[in-house]
């Protein structure tokens, strides 16, 4: 009988041990789930911080970098900077930001010193994008844009250069009439 009682007692302890183990397992799963969310949030925060530090191609940093590309002697980099500035000039606020950081003056310098037509075209394209703002036109006018644009040689190979030139000169003419 003692053997039978010992057997029941052991099985009862074993079942209560299983109950404790099940409770502990569910607690461990809940803790893992909470810690998992905490780790995910930590990872997301770290990734955001790293992206902000290592990918400065957002906002003002890219504008500054694009203007600094206009300082380089290589025409390819100048064209890349001018192309970026043309893409940024989508509203008056951004156009004025480009003017404030010196992008308009650098584009005029680039246009004046450009040796090839592709560089001239990109500079004129960026200046045309900037000229959609009255304040930017005023700043370009004060920087002597008309004489630089008029001194750009016409070309028969690329009709876009002539189109950009005529549109810019017309915009300056309209600006002179309105002011």
């Amino acid at each position: 009988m003692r053997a039978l009682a010992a057997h029941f007692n052991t099985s009862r302890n074993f079942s209560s041990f299983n109950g404790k183990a099940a409770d502990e397992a569910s607690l461990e799963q809940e803790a893992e789930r909470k810690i998992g969310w905490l780790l995910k949030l930590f990872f997301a925060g770290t990734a955001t911080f790293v992206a902000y530090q290592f990918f400065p191609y957002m906002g003002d940093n890219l504008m500054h970098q694009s203007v600094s590309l206009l300082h380089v002697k290589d025409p390819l980099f100048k064209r890349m900077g001018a192309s970026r500035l043309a893409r940024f000039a989508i509203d008056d606020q951004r156009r004025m930001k480009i003017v404030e950081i010196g992008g308009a003056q650098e584009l005029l310098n680039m246009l004046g010193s450009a040796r090839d037509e592709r560089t001239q075209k990109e500079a004129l394209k960026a200046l045309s994008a900037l000229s959609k703002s009255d304040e930017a036109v005023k700043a370009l006018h004060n920087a002597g844009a008309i004489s630089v644009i008029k001194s750009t040689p016409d070309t028969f190979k690329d009709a876009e250069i002539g189109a950009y030139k005529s549109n810019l000169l017309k915009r300056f003419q309209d600006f002179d009439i309105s002011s």
Side-chain angles (χ1 to χ4, degrees), residues 9-178:
N9 195 14
T10 311
S11 65
R12 191 175 41 191
N13 285 341
F14 183 70
S15 66
S16 66
F17 178 73
N18 282 341
K20 288 180 184 178
D23 289 341
E24 287 178 11
S26 66
L27 285 173
E28 285 180 22
Q29 286 176 347
E30 186 176 335
E32 286 176 2
R33 187 176 47 232
K34 288 179 181 177
I35 290 174
W37 277 105
L38 182 66
L39 288 174
K40 287 177 187 176
L41 288 173
F42 179 74
F43 176 75
T46 304
T48 302
F49 176 77
V50 168
Y52 184 76
Q53 295 297 319
F54 292 112
F55 300 114
Y57 297 109
M58 299 174 210
D60 293 342
N61 288 342
L62 185 56
M63 284 188 209
H64 286 285
Q65 288 177 353
S66 299
V67 171
S68 66
L69 281 174
L70 300 177
H71 294 281
V72 179
K73 290 184 179 183
D74 187 8
L76 173 66
F77 289 111
K78 287 185 177 198
R79 287 192 301 267
M80 287 172 30
S83 175
R84 284 181 178 181
L85 290 176
R87 281 184 265 137
F88 277 128
I90 58 173
D91 61 10
D92 286 347
Q93 182 182 3
R94 290 185 186 176
R95 289 181 191 112
M96 287 312 298
K97 181 67 177 176
I98 292 169
V99 170
E100 288 170 8
I101 62 175
Q105 183 63 49
E106 289 302 321
L107 285 168
L108 289 173
N109 294 343
M110 175 182 161
L111 181 62
S113 65
R115 305 259 186 257
D116 61 316
E117 293 175 1
R118 292 184 301 175
T119 306
Q120 291 172 349
K121 179 180 156 184
E122 286 300 326
L124 287 168
K125 183 179 176 182
L127 288 169
S128 179
L130 285 179
S131 71
K132 294 178 181 173
S133 168
D134 290 339
E135 295 154 359
V137 169
K138 184 178 178 182
L140 287 168
H141 187 279
N142 292 339
I146 295 175
S147 62
V148 174
I149 293 169
K150 283 184 177 179
S151 69
T152 303
D154 290 325
T155 179
F156 297 108
K157 292 180 183 177
D158 199 345
E160 285 183 87
I161 291 176
Y164 285 131
K165 267 181 72 170
S166 63
N167 288 341
L168 280 166
L169 292 173
K170 182 171 179 359
R171 180 73 171 114
F172 285 116
Q173 204 173 38
D174 294 344
F175 178 73
D176 285 339
I177 293 170
S178 66

